[in-house]
Amino acid sequence: MTVEQQKMLVFVGSYAEASGSGVYVYALDEEKEELTLLDSVSGLKNPTFLNLDAEGRRLYSLAEGVSEDGAKVGEAVSFDIDTKSGRLSEISRGIGVDAPACHIQRVGSGQYLVLTSYHGGRIGLTALGEDGRIGALLDTQQYEGHGPHPERQDRPHPHSANLSPDGRFLFVPDLGMDRIRVYTVDMQNDALVYQGETPTHPGAGPRHMAFHPQGKLAFSINEVDSTITSFRYDSEAGTLQEIEHVSTLPEGFAEENTCAEIAVSDDGQFLYGSNRGHDSIVVFRIDRESGRLTLVEHVSTRGGHPRHFALLPGGRHLLAANRDSENNLVLFRVDKESGRLVFSGQAVTVSKPVCVQAAYFSL
């Protein structure tokens, strides 16, 4: 199917009160470089992270909920996507982890959701029906420990659950303990099975991960010390071996900064990461053989605190979500030869955007 027979929908999660809009749907006309708002959904408190099942035409969101005994929990919410209109219809919601959550991931051929709780120090495995209905909380993995930073690493802080390219392994970076834990899903017993872990350098604070499309390299963006770590990835064993770590910041920058999102281009040539403080996207060229990174550039995100961004399908554009200051989504052109980013002139105002997911849908 050609691009002309498709349209791109962009889904945005944000910090929001339940009384206001929290999840947004845009259409992106790539030729005109125009974002058009199609729908917004209220009734969710802080739907900060999303997971998109483009093939199944469903969207999954986090939300803050309250259990029967009054405790804060991480809810999972499912939506049907009307791809013609871009409108979302809620299917169901349920408890995904018994603490507020920061990340949501589909696993096990779409039979489960994994929600990650930064503040609770745990991850939860929740059943997911073929009809998109959220089922029971099946398993919880609670972490214990700390890292060297007295404030940021005083206790466990898992921040995301990242699938290996073949879907066999689940990698969970823990910002608080400088560890990346590895799990598989036991579908007979509906359980997460610990496989091992890889330490990062002390004080790194690993947050999110990205895998190289060739399947032999992986990368972690480290929030606390503003670095990216390259790993050799063994896809049979599900293990990581550190190659190097490099700074995400320009030489001489000494102000406060934390990192957030990381992505690798579809052709495997370039790696992108976001800086909050320097408020930029850093671009590296990837040496596919050695796994080492060479700095290409830093580009201003034209807003404060770029908590997330996405390399859009087709690789022609990058969309950055600036949570603070300008409260906006900013569209950049991607030069596929050099990896460099150029501001398109397009930015739309969104209140406290946190997550961007996008896909092509047939017309």
Side-chain angles (χ1 to χ4, degrees), residues 7-319:
K7 68 177 177 180
M8 189 186 297
L9 296 181
V10 178
F11 304 86
V12 181
S14 69
Y15 279 108
E17 294 300 321
S19 57
S21 295
V23 177
Y24 304 84
V25 186
Y26 289 85
L28 173 61
D29 184 323
E30 287 200 280
E31 296 306 318
K32 296 180 179 179
E33 296 183 324
E34 291 180 353
L35 284 159
T36 303
L37 181 64
L38 301 179
D39 194 19
S40 61
V41 176
S42 60
L44 307 176
K45 182 176 176 59
N46 293 336
T48 54
F49 213 86
L50 308 175
N51 181 270
L52 175 61
D53 176 5
E55 184 177 348
R57 302 192 175 199
R58 293 201 178 102
L59 183 73
Y60 301 93
S61 173
L62 297 178
E64 288 185 18
V66 179
S67 67
E68 292 181 358
D69 59 5
K72 290 184 179 180
V73 297
E75 284 189 330
V77 186
S78 58
F79 298 90
D80 266 326
I81 304 167
D82 183 326
T83 58
K84 290 185 178 180
S85 68
R87 302 193 73 80
L88 299 176
S89 301
E90 183 174 325
I91 301 170
S92 74
R93 63 177 73 189
I95 295 176
V97 65
D98 51 357
C102 63
H103 191 271
I104 184 169
Q105 177 71 268
R106 280 177 300 121
V107 298
S109 302
Q111 298 162 256
Y112 307 97
L113 293 170
V114 171
L115 272 67
T116 304
S117 174
Y118 174 92
H119 292 291
R122 69 196 72 155
I123 59 174
L125 182 73
T126 295
L128 179 60
E130 289 184 8
D131 59 357
R133 300 193 67 81
I134 310 299
L137 176 60
L138 303 169
D139 188 20
T140 299
Q141 297 286 316
Q142 177 68 52
Y143 294 176
E144 302 292 339
H146 63 85
H149 194 290
E151 297 175 0
R152 300 300 313 283
Q153 297 182 308
D154 60 330
R155 60 188 187 276
H157 289 306
H159 214 304
S160 61
N162 306 267
L163 276 175
S164 61
D166 61 7
R168 291 176 57 212
F169 298 102
L170 191 70
F171 291 81
V172 181
D174 192 299
L175 180 152
M177 297 196 300
D178 293 326
R179 293 284 187 274
I180 300 174
R181 292 193 172 184
V182 188
Y183 296 88
T184 55
V185 178
D186 180 344
M187 290 186 283
Q188 300 244 333
N189 297 299
D190 295 330
L192 291 163
V193 180
Y194 174 74
Q195 300 293 318
E197 62 186 55
T198 299
T200 59
H201 58 278
R207 176 186 172 101
H208 285 188
M209 292 182 66
F211 287 83
H212 193 275
Q214 290 182 336
K216 297 180 181 179
L217 299 171
F219 305 91
S220 164
I221 194 160
N222 305 316
E223 177 176 333
V224 176
D225 75 348
S226 300
T227 61
I228 290 174
T229 303
S230 303
F231 298 96
R232 186 73 58 191
Y233 173 53
D234 185 328
S235 59
E236 290 301 315
T239 56
L240 302 170
Q241 181 180 5
E242 182 172 338
I243 297 167
E244 67 169 353
H245 58 270
V246 298
S247 175
T248 64
L249 294 169
E251 188 174 346
F253 183 84
E255 298 175 36
E256 184 176 346
N257 187 80
T258 57
C259 289
E261 178 62 348
I262 186 170
V264 174
S265 61
D266 287 344
D267 62 10
Q269 292 195 76
F270 301 101
L271 181 145
Y272 299 81
S274 66
N275 286 305
R276 300 173 294 175
H278 189 251
D279 294 338
S280 65
I281 302 292
V282 61
V283 185
F284 292 96
R285 183 179 290 275
I286 302 169
D287 185 309
R288 303 184 196 197
E289 296 304 316
S290 69
R292 296 185 178 275
L293 303 175
T294 302
L295 178 65
V296 174
E297 66 172 350
H298 294 86
V299 176
S300 169
T301 56
R302 297 175 174 260
H305 198 96
R307 189 178 173 101
H308 199 261
F309 66 88
L311 286 169
L312 300 182
R316 297 167 59 191
H317 291 94
L318 179 147
L319 189 62

